[in-house]
Amino acid sequence: LFLAFVAIGVFSAWQDPSFVRAILGDRYVDMTERNIANGDPFGVYKQENQLSMFLRIAFNNIRVSFLCYFVGIMLGAGTLYLLFQNSLMLGVFEYMFFHHNMGFRSIMVVFVHGTLELSAIVIACAAGFIIGNSLLFPGTYTRMQSFTHAAKDSVKIIICLVPIFIVAAFFEGFVTRHTGMPLWLSLTILSSSAAFMIWYFIIYPIRVSKKVNP
C-alpha cells in the first residue's frame, strides 16, 4: 500500500504540475525552488537550531505514529487514510526533486533520516491495521476478545518504534543538514538503517518464533 500510494503521488505530479503545490503548499514549493536556484536545494534542513529541530521532529513523528495506530480502531479506515496521505506526500516530494534532476541527490540526503522514519511510520500503520483487522475479522472470538488480543500484540510494535523515531529525529536534526557529506557516508547510513529495520522486524522475529514454536 505504501509503495502504491507513493506511485500515485509521483504519477499525479507528473500528469499535473499544479498537484505539487496542492499537496506541499505554495510556501514550501517556493522556498525549495529558491534554494535550488541558490545552489542549496536542501537548505530547509539548515534553517533551525539542531536541538530544537531534533526535539520538534521526534515529538511530531511519535505523535503521528501513535495516531496512525489508534485510528486503526475505525476498522482500519483511519490508518489507511493517514498512510495514503503521508505516502502521497512523499511521492510528490520526490517527484519535485527528480523533475529538477536532483532525484538521486535527494535520496542520498533525505533518506539519511528517512530510511528509519518512513519504515517506522509504515510499521506503525501495520499495527493500526492489526487493530482494524481484529474488529473486522474476529474469527471464532467475540469482537472484544479479538480486539483485546490484537491490542496486546500491536502495542508492543508501536512502543518499540519510539526509540527508532528518536534516532531518526537525531539524524534529521544533526546529520541531514550536512548535505555535502561524502557519498560513501550517506550510503553507509542508509544501508545500515535499512539493514537494522530488516533484521529487527523481519529476521529476528522469525528466529524467535522458530525457537518458541520449533
Side-chain angles (χ1 to χ4, degrees):
L1 286 172
F2 168 72
L3 293 176
F5 293 155
V6 168
I8 290 172
V10 172
F11 180 78
S12 299
W14 174 54
Q15 289 293 306
D16 181 7
S18 65
F19 189 74
V20 176
R21 291 183 176 274
I23 297 299
L24 299 179
D26 288 333
R27 181 180 177 184
Y28 184 84
V29 174
D30 290 339
M31 177 192 63
T32 302
E33 290 183 346
R34 284 197 303 271
N35 288 339
I36 291 174
N38 294 331
D40 190 14
F42 307 101
V44 65
Y45 296 107
K46 307 172 185 178
Q47 295 179 354
E48 190 176 342
N49 173 268
Q50 295 176 332
L51 180 59
S52 63
M53 187 176 181
F54 160 65
L55 294 174
R56 176 180 60 80
I57 291 171
F59 174 78
N60 181 69
N61 287 342
I62 292 171
R63 179 187 64 83
V64 170
S65 68
F66 273 81
L67 182 61
C68 290
Y69 171 63
F70 286 122
V71 295
I73 201 170
M74 300 166 60
L75 304 181
T79 300
L80 182 65
Y81 172 75
L82 291 177
L83 178 62
F84 173 76
Q85 186 181 55
N86 285 279
S87 305
L88 190 78
M89 191 177 298
L90 174 64
V92 172
F93 175 86
E94 283 301 328
Y95 172 82
M96 179 173 62
F97 284 102
F98 272 91
H99 180 70
H100 286 88
N101 298 316
M102 294 184 176
F104 178 76
R105 189 178 174 190
S106 74
I107 292 174
M108 289 298 100
V109 172
V110 176
F111 279 77
V112 164
H113 66 269
T115 303
L116 291 176
E117 180 182 295
L118 294 171
S119 299
I121 288 177
V122 172
I123 294 170
C125 288
F129 285 134
I130 291 175
I131 294 294
N133 182 71
S134 70
L135 296 172
L136 284 171
F137 308 104
T140 57
Y141 296 103
T142 66
R143 278 188 166 76
M144 182 54 69
Q145 289 173 329
S146 178
F147 173 78
T148 301
H149 293 158
K152 289 179 179 178
D153 290 336
S154 59
V155 74
K156 298 173 186 177
I157 298 173
I158 199 69
I159 289 175
C160 77
L161 290 174
V162 171
I164 293 173
F165 279 118
I166 292 174
V167 173
F170 174 83
F171 281 151
E172 188 166 359
F174 291 91
V175 181
T176 301
R177 65 178 57 236
H178 301 291
T179 56
M181 73 173 67
L183 178 61
W184 67 266
L185 182 55
S186 294
L187 287 172
T188 299
I189 297 173
L190 271 116
S191 58
S192 298
S193 298
F196 169 76
M197 297 300 286
I198 292 171
W199 174 78
Y200 189 69
F201 286 99
I202 298 176
I203 298 174
Y204 180 63
I206 291 174
R207 290 182 176 178
V208 171
S209 179
K210 287 182 177 179
K211 289 181 179 179
V212 176
N213 303 296

